[in-house]
Amino acid sequence: FRAVLIVAGFSVLTRFFGFLFRIYLSRELGAELLGVYQVAASVFSVLLVLVSSGIPLAISKLTASYRVTNDRKSENGVTSASLIIGLTVATILCIVILVFRESLGHLFTDERCMLILITLLPAVIASAVYSAFRGSLWGTQNYFSVSWTELAEQLIRIAAFVIMANFLFTTLDGAVIAGLSMSIACIMSAILVVIVYFKNCLLYTSDAADEEDSV
């Protein structure tokens, strides 16, 4: 019940800020630029599915089972394996898009879509990292840690867009800035979840050592 409340509460906050940001974004970009950005974002969503679809759920189940049997080696191994798989797939996808960007660009009706998609590619790689460690944290029931990093991602994205659009890159296309802000947010959330993961590992190792000493 506590886990449901935590996840639901943070989800409401995250979606609320996301809703406000969409309103702000639509006013800043206008109908045309927002449409161009949405086209690139739809391709970005497909890439995310290819990179991380099913990984967090699978990792959480395996991590939970290994945690019950106190199989720390297998628990770390499955997280490492998912990280390698996700990064490999994400890197290949990014390389394909960069190498064949001119050919793939013809699929879009607006040439600006490819540029926006390129600014979103770092977010694809960061999402692969995030998915692997998020699944492990789910498996160890660290719902609060995962939830606040997702909220932090949304807030960082909003802050990054506002700062870049109004102070740093005022002459840059707003849709490109939106793509950059997404990548920055995903990279920061990936860094945060990695920090939380290793902090959790240290705490678990310390608790296990204390139990052995007491025995």
Side-chain angles (χ1 to χ4, degrees), residues 85-101:
I85 293 171
L87 283 176
T88 301
V89 175
T91 302
I92 292 174
L93 290 174
C94 291
I95 291 175
V96 169
I97 291 175
L98 290 175
V99 172
F100 299 101
R101 60 183 180 275

Side-chain angles (χ1 to χ4, degrees), residues 29-86:
L29 300 184
E32 181 184 356
L33 272 181
L34 183 62
V36 172
Y37 175 76
Q38 291 295 343
V39 171
S42 63
V43 179
F44 169 69
S45 298
V46 174
L47 297 179
L48 288 185
V49 170
L50 296 174
V51 168
S52 59
S53 180
I55 288 180
L57 181 60
I59 299 305
S60 64
K61 289 184 176 181
L62 290 171
T63 300
S65 63
Y66 291 136
R67 180 59 65 95
V68 170
T69 58
N70 201 28
D71 190 350
R72 191 63 178 171
K73 182 178 180 181
S74 298
E75 183 182 334
N76 293 332
V78 73
T79 303
S80 300
S82 64
L83 180 62
I84 293 172
I85 293 171

Side-chain angles (χ1 to χ4, degrees), residues 124-137:
V124 176
I125 296 177
S127 296
V129 176
Y130 182 83
S131 296
F133 290 104
R134 181 182 64 177
S136 178
L137 290 172

